[in-house]
Amino acid sequence: MSLSELAEAAGWPLPLAVRAIVPATPGETQQLAAVLDHCLVGVFAGRPCLLVPSPDPDNRAPLEHLLRGRFAAVGHAVPLRDTASSLRWALRLAALTPARPGLETRPVFVDDHLSTLLLLQDEPLAHALAARWLRPLADLTPRQSERLEVTLLAWLEGGGAPEAAKALSVHPQTVRYRMRQLEKLFGTGLRDPRTRFELEMALRSRRLMAQVRRQHSRVGRRAARVIQADFTPLVVGRMARVNGL
């Protein structure tokens, strides 16, 4: 059955654009359905998810209000033909940012994490990128390598030693000393715009992967499995739950 046929069977008027929502746990799906307007509950990659109309992609305040006090991953607004994309990236974001006890409970939006998702869409490739461009640091001790990586990323992001020193809370001379070490390791590449771009991507992806590992170690969860693109609304009988029906 097509999405339009499934939506008709569920009594769900087809919107022009939708967002996917992935609850923290499958048990919260019906709770969210009870507070969201005109949502369609279904299963994507074996996990319960919701679709909500997104008439104004630039205005997410009403959705943030309805989800206040709950952890959920919210996909980007897409036309109906791209529903699988919103579902896929909402699931990926849920896997990368698991809910952690003690932190403020709130939804996370794909819109706010586009660069992270782009860099980590293929972690083996991200590892290859880091290995390729950070090879000059391979013979250093872990402590030396970490110190120079942090300094190089701050220098690339800030544009100079004073800005990097401020970001790292160290003296500018400390940054200049480390940059001299980095220039010996990387040579003239640090003056090449393409090399600087590749290095920044490699450093950012390595930092993001380390953050994800730490998050998952805190909550004892594993990384996400490969995601399939098949959203199936629950329409057996009248099991499709559309809010208000």
Side-chain angles (χ1 to χ4, degrees), residues 111-239:
D111 297 327
D112 298 331
H113 299 275
L114 292 171
S115 60
T116 296
L117 291 165
L118 180 63
L119 285 171
L120 298 186
Q121 64 178 312
D122 189 316
E123 290 191 35
L125 193 62
H127 280 292
L129 175 73
R132 161 69 177 82
W133 288 98
L134 303 179
R135 189 174 297 132
L137 305 176
D139 293 332
L140 302 180
T141 67
R143 182 177 180 181
Q144 290 172 328
S145 178
E146 181 181 5
R147 184 168 59 238
L148 291 183
E149 284 184 30
V150 168
T151 302
L152 180 56
L153 182 56
W155 180 79
L156 290 167
E157 291 177 333
E163 294 81 5
K166 184 177 181 180
L168 298 174
S169 299
V170 299
H171 195 279
Q173 279 300 105
T174 300
V175 173
R176 293 188 181 99
Y177 170 73
R178 294 178 185 174
M179 288 306 302
R180 286 194 292 271
Q181 292 179 291
L182 287 162
E183 287 169 0
K184 290 178 181 178
L185 291 167
F186 287 93
T188 59
L190 292 182
R191 295 195 291 271
D192 176 61
R194 178 178 180 271
T195 299
R196 290 200 300 267
F197 174 72
E198 297 278 1
L199 281 170
E200 185 169 355
M201 283 204 304
L203 290 164
R204 284 178 176 270
S205 62
R206 178 172 282 187
R207 181 175 65 181
L208 288 168
M209 286 186 289
Q211 290 173 349
V212 170
R213 286 194 299 269
R214 286 195 297 269
Q215 288 175 349
H216 282 275
S217 66
R218 290 190 188 104
V219 298
R221 293 176 59 180
R222 295 181 179 179
R225 292 192 293 258
V226 176
I227 299 170
Q228 301 174 355
D230 57 330
F231 179 76
T232 306
L234 304 177
V235 295
V236 179
R238 293 292 293 178
M239 290 301 293

Side-chain angles (χ1 to χ4, degrees), residues 20-158:
I21 300 178
V22 178
T25 63
E28 295 179 62
T29 307
Q30 295 304 330
Q31 297 175 20
L32 286 178
V35 299
L36 296 171
D37 291 331
H38 306 298
C39 72
L40 182 66
V41 176
V43 176
F44 180 76
R47 182 162 176 176
C49 303
L50 304 94
L51 295 178
V52 294
S54 184
D56 183 358
D58 295 325
N59 181 18
R60 69 187 200 195
L63 188 55
E64 288 178 325
H65 176 74
L66 291 170
L67 294 175
R68 185 174 56 190
R70 302 174 184 271
F71 178 82
V74 184
H76 54 310
V78 295
L80 283 175
R81 66 179 180 274
D82 295 328
T83 298
S85 176
S86 188
L87 287 159
R88 176 172 180 251
W89 291 114
L91 275 172
R92 181 64 173 143
L93 182 59
L96 290 174
T97 56
R100 287 186 283 166
L103 296 181
E104 179 186 0
T105 304
R106 59 183 179 83
V108 290
F109 285 76
V110 164
D111 297 327
D112 298 331
H113 299 275
L114 292 171
S115 60
T116 296
L117 291 165
L118 180 63
L119 285 171
L120 298 186
Q121 64 178 312
D122 189 316
E123 290 191 35
L125 193 62
H127 280 292
L129 175 73
R132 161 69 177 82
W133 288 98
L134 303 179
R135 189 174 297 132
L137 305 176
D139 293 332
L140 302 180
T141 67
R143 182 177 180 181
Q144 290 172 328
S145 178
E146 181 181 5
R147 184 168 59 238
L148 291 183
E149 284 184 30
V150 168
T151 302
L152 180 56
L153 182 56
W155 180 79
L156 290 167
E157 291 177 333

